[in-house]
Amino acid sequence: MSHTGTATTDMAVGAPTAVVSVKPVVLPAPGRGEDLRVRVSAPATGSELPVIVFSHGFGESMDGYGPLADFWTAHGFAVIQPTHLDSRTLNLSPDDPRTPLIWRLRVEDLKRVLDGLELIEAAVPGLGGRLDRGRVAVAGHSWGAQTASMLLGARVLDPKGEPGEDLSDPRIKAGVLLAVPGAGGADLTPFAAEHFPFMNPGFAEMTTPALIVAGDRDQSLLSVRGPDWFTDAYVLSPGGKSLLTVFGAEHSLGGISGYNVTETTDENPGRVALIRRLTWAYLRTALGLDDSAWPAARAALAEAGDPLGRIESR
């Protein structure tokens, strides 16, 4: 194991605990066309559990992202993963009238989870009364990161550059945006500009604290820019943000979307270990659980002889 791996592994994470995971928990969703199905995972014991609501990338489902969800849950977080309408498990037709609205329905899915925490607690044996409503974070990967960013205050800009509706949610105290798409307009390929009008984010109002995670080899097929496109949410938003740049990482960031998934082009367990520990430490501090977790994690990375990434903050 490299010195890097040791440095990040030695971060005071604590031993993993037993977890309980239940799926599907079904939340009524009138007007959506079908009810919202979520996976709920939580430590088997403990109270006042902080919550992470996780939005998956295009085509994925509540069953994805085990390398992150399993780690977060085993180390003290309740993780709630909705299945959005673009999931391959639902097989929605491209000409379904909901298809152009999925970006918006995704945001509503996350809000529906927040509205349904009581129902979620009741549906999972032993979870009743154990979620901390005052410590809720949102996280997401790729399209899911854009979805999550809207709850942090990001807006979709109209063709004139005016910010659209404010979909932020005061119940969300912090965010983790993994490979979040950057600016639209001239930064998009003609195909993306024509087919994905919602890919025109404005980050000027994204005021909620967040950690943005970007791979320095993540070349998007939707943008004419290089991997720095994925840092826009950090560069263009107000302060109170941190950026983790992961060296050598492509869009799967080493393989966060699942164990042995075929779409991972840059499989690297070290990168995944780094990301899950740093995101865990960031949220521990951002949600007021442990002021020292994030500074200690940053120090461990800075002191590594051959680091897997770098952190900056503003």
Side-chain angles (χ1 to χ4, degrees):
M1 183 181 276
S2 71
H3 180 57
T4 315
T6 315
T8 24
T9 309
D10 285 349
M11 244 173 63
V13 172
T17 61
V19 306
V20 174
S21 189
V22 173
K23 66 163 192 175
V25 174
V26 181
L27 301 177
R32 187 177 181 265
E34 54 193 282
D35 288 338
L36 177 63
R37 286 166 172 75
V38 305
R39 179 188 189 113
V40 184
S41 307
T45 58
S47 59
E48 297 184 350
L49 301 172
V51 178
I52 300 171
V53 183
F54 188 88
S55 181
H56 64 70
F58 174 75
E60 299 282 349
S61 74
M62 61 182 169
D63 293 320
Y65 299 93
L68 293 179
D70 293 351
F71 181 88
W72 290 336
T73 309
H75 294 93
F77 284 89
V79 180
I80 306 172
Q81 297 171 264
T83 293
H84 299 302
L85 288 173
D86 56 278
S87 174
R88 288 186 291 266
T89 63
L90 299 178
N91 211 16
L92 209 66
S93 158
D95 54 13
D96 186 291
R98 292 170 291 176
T99 298
L101 303 170
I102 285 180
W103 71 270
R104 176 66 190 265
L105 292 167
R106 280 171 144 265
V107 178
E108 290 175 12
D109 288 346
L110 300 187
K111 289 178 177 278
R112 197 166 264 124
V113 167
L114 298 174
D115 294 340
L117 288 179
E118 201 167 314
L119 203 155
I120 286 168
E121 279 192 351
V124 178
L127 192 59
R130 294 175 54 216
L131 298 182
D132 186 344
R133 305 285 201 281
R135 289 193 165 105
V136 182
V138 68
H141 174 239
S142 192
W143 195 7
Q146 186 190 11
T147 305
S149 76
M150 308 278 298
L151 272 71
L152 303 173
R155 312 263 192 102
V156 172
L157 304 179
D158 71 14
K160 293 178 181 170
E162 295 295 320
E165 188 182 352
D166 177 9
L167 297 172
S168 63
D169 197 300
R171 293 172 290 187
I172 297 295
K173 305 306 183 197
V176 171
L177 306 178
L178 301 141
V180 60
D187 291 345
L188 296 182
T189 63
F191 175 87
E194 181 185 347
H195 291 90
F196 308 120
F198 59 86
M199 286 191 69
N200 195 20
F203 297 112
E205 270 101 3
M206 196 176 86
T207 53
T208 306
L211 170 64
I212 289 90
V213 181
D216 70 359
R217 291 195 191 162
D218 187 356
Q219 179 57 57
S220 176
L221 299 175
L222 300 174
S223 175
V224 297
R225 280 172 52 200
D228 70 306
W229 187 58
F230 290 98
T231 68
D232 283 358
Y234 172 74
V235 174
L236 301 175
S237 65
K241 306 295 186 300
S242 291
L243 172 68
L244 167 61
T245 302
V246 186
F247 301 150
E250 297 175 19
H251 202 58
S252 294
L253 298 171
I256 61 169
S257 58
Y259 303 106
N260 306 315
V261 292
T262 52
E263 56 260 44
T264 301
T265 51
D266 60 334
E267 187 171 2
N268 185 310
R271 283 186 201 126
V272 175
L274 177 83
I275 289 166
R276 60 193 192 180
R277 284 177 168 82
L278 286 173
T279 53
W280 173 85
Y282 175 81
L283 289 176
R284 292 270 303 162
T285 294
L287 294 176
L289 293 156
D290 179 357
D291 289 347
S292 66
W294 180 235
R298 293 188 62 162
L301 182 66
E303 291 160 12
D306 179 22
L308 290 170
R310 71 170 178 272
I311 294 168
E312 52 202 282
S313 294
R314 48 187 291 273

